[in-house]
Amino acid sequence: DYVDSLVHHGFEKIVITNSHGGNTATISRALPELQKKYPEIKIIYFFDQETTTALAALCRKFELTPGEMGSHAGDMETSIMLHIDSKWVKKEEFVRGFTKPIDDQIRQKYREEGFEWLSEYGVVGDQRKATPEKGAEYIQTLKGAMMAYIKKKLNG
């Protein structure tokens, strides 16, 4: 419906973004159908294709393991929220959540049972070292990776 509306209003380039891993399969199935329906429209999908290398560099810079950076309310997301609007963040409640590597079996289990299956509060990562300054750097890094990917796909 969104793509139909955007095309109706004259958009010729559409970027679909996703911030939830559970949506990836659905979007990936829909893309070929959308491209077939609108062959003259450039439709691309961005999830996290280009962020892995950039985030690995930040892990090293911030002296974090990937598990501490986390994927659900860990260092990265908590730092970003501290940067955006710290009044919504309760620093006195910061915890270390699940920080071990996540394999396909664990990923399937938490998608079925929720992040609370991994840790008491649903935290995947470690919030305790989060700062607003790191949040600003996470945003800039993610934005840079996303824009580089989009530019490459739109110009390719």
Side-chain angles (χ1 to χ4, degrees):
D1 289 345
Y2 288 116
V3 172
D4 290 341
S5 178
L6 291 168
V7 170
H8 173 78
H9 289 285
F11 285 80
E12 297 174 357
K13 297 175 182 177
I14 299 170
V15 178
I16 298 171
T17 63
N18 174 23
S19 62
H20 190 276
N23 296 330
T24 302
T26 303
I27 294 170
S28 295
R29 280 193 306 273
L31 280 175
E33 294 174 27
L34 290 167
Q35 201 62 74
K36 186 176 179 181
K37 184 175 182 180
Y38 300 111
E40 72 286 356
I41 305 298
K42 185 83 168 190
I43 304 171
I44 64 171
Y45 169 53
F46 180 86
F47 179 45
D48 63 359
Q49 298 92 325
E50 303 293 314
T51 61
T52 304
T53 302
L55 291 177
L58 285 183
C59 272
R60 289 187 298 276
K61 179 178 181 177
F62 298 149
E63 299 180 353
L64 298 169
T65 66
E68 290 170 325
M69 181 180 282
S71 61
H72 195 259
D75 184 82
M76 180 173 60
E77 290 183 350
T78 303
S79 291
I80 288 171
M81 276 308 304
L82 283 168
H83 174 71
I84 292 171
D85 193 347
S86 63
K87 75 178 177 201
W88 298 104
V89 181
K90 298 177 182 176
K91 293 179 188 178
E92 67 278 3
E93 295 183 19
F94 281 5
V95 298
R96 176 182 176 90
F98 185 87
T99 59
K100 296 176 186 169
I102 295 177
D103 60 22
D104 290 339
Q105 185 177 9
I106 291 172
R107 187 174 291 108
Q108 180 66 30
K109 183 88 167 165
Y110 76 64
R111 285 186 177 160
E112 291 172 1
E113 299 188 29
F115 284 106
E116 294 81 6
W117 172 78
L118 290 174
S119 68
E120 181 179 359
Y121 300 102
V123 175
V124 179
D126 190 341
Q127 304 169 326
R128 299 173 301 167
K129 297 178 188 175
T131 68
E133 295 78 20
K134 284 170 37 181
E137 197 159 346
Y138 279 123
I139 289 171
Q140 288 303 313
T141 299
L142 292 168
K143 180 177 83 173
M146 183 178 191
M147 292 310 299
Y149 179 83
I150 290 169
K151 287 176 183 177
K152 180 174 74 176
K153 287 295 190 178
L154 288 178
N155 296 326

